[in-house]
Amino acid sequence: MTLCPCGSKLELSECCAPILAGTPAPTAEALMRSRYTAFVLRQLDHVERTHAPEVRDDFNRAEAERLAEECVWKSLEIRRAVETDDTAEVEFAIKFRREQQDMIQTELASFRRENGEWLYVSGELNPVMPTRHVAKVGRNDPCPCGSGKKAKKCCGTTQLLD
């Protein structure tokens, strides 16, 4: 039994191997997992094949091969995956070792489904996510939601602000 490198805890033959062999990924997350697995297994034809047409020419095969060879791939963590019709975003983190240093890279990747196949469109490396602010509200203070009730009887003692 060989576990899939993507971290799904499934066997490779039941997870990313069919996608690497050409079966369309059922979700953008599954495509992202298979692209990571392709780097681990050095099957970069899959990475190149799953780029959207408008970014395919930007794929630097020599650089990808060098990266795949130089890195010891540790893990993939999918932090968030959101699909809406034929578009998707997948936020993920990759842990790897390169030049005797443990590293982590985060990315917010965009995908598009064309003719039933998910394609990688773009990615923002190490994205800065919006900061969440929390306001402290006393138990007997009016609730910030505007209900007129005390906070302890309404939304509680903290309220998220955007």
Side-chain angles (χ1 to χ4, degrees):
M1 178 171 122
T2 302
L3 288 180
C4 192
C6 79
S8 66
K9 298 182 182 170
L10 297 173
E11 288 188 42
L12 176 62
S13 62
E14 297 173 356
C15 190
C16 290
I19 299 170
L20 292 172
T23 300
T27 64
E29 179 181 340
L31 180 62
M32 183 60 244
R33 289 180 177 280
S34 71
R35 288 169 59 88
Y36 170 81
T37 298
F39 269 94
V40 174
L41 301 178
R42 295 174 178 82
Q43 294 184 13
L44 298 177
D45 288 345
H46 174 69
V47 175
E48 189 169 8
R49 179 177 66 245
T50 58
H51 271 73
E54 68 271 19
V55 296
R56 201 164 286 146
D57 290 342
D58 296 336
F59 181 68
N60 183 333
R61 180 63 181 246
E63 176 64 18
E65 288 174 352
R66 186 177 64 76
L67 187 64
E69 186 65 36
E70 288 178 0
C71 295
V72 175
W73 304 98
K74 301 286 188 174
S75 67
L76 168 68
E77 174 193 353
I78 302 294
R79 294 184 171 171
R80 183 176 63 89
V82 179
E83 288 184 18
T84 307
D85 299 320
D86 290 333
T87 61
E89 283 188 341
V90 178
E91 182 184 355
F92 63 92
I94 296 173
K95 292 181 182 176
F96 58 97
R97 186 165 181 79
R98 185 177 187 191
E99 298 173 357
Q100 287 81 41
Q101 282 192 305
D102 288 328
M103 304 177 104
I104 186 167
Q105 175 181 306
T106 60
E107 183 175 339
L108 179 59
S110 297
F111 296 86
R112 177 178 72 234
R113 186 170 34 206
E114 282 184 7
N115 302 318
E117 292 190 38
W118 285 103
L119 300 171
Y120 173 84
V121 176
S122 65
E124 178 184 350
L125 294 179
N126 303 314
V128 177
M129 301 312 279
T131 304
R132 294 176 59 175
H133 300 281
V134 178
K136 188 75 171 168
V137 179
R139 291 174 35 87
N140 291 316
D141 291 340
C143 189
C145 77
S147 69
K149 297 179 184 177
K150 290 183 178 182
K152 68 182 175 186
K153 296 285 187 179
C154 193
C155 295
T157 58
T158 59
Q159 178 76 24
L160 290 177
L161 304 175
D162 291 322

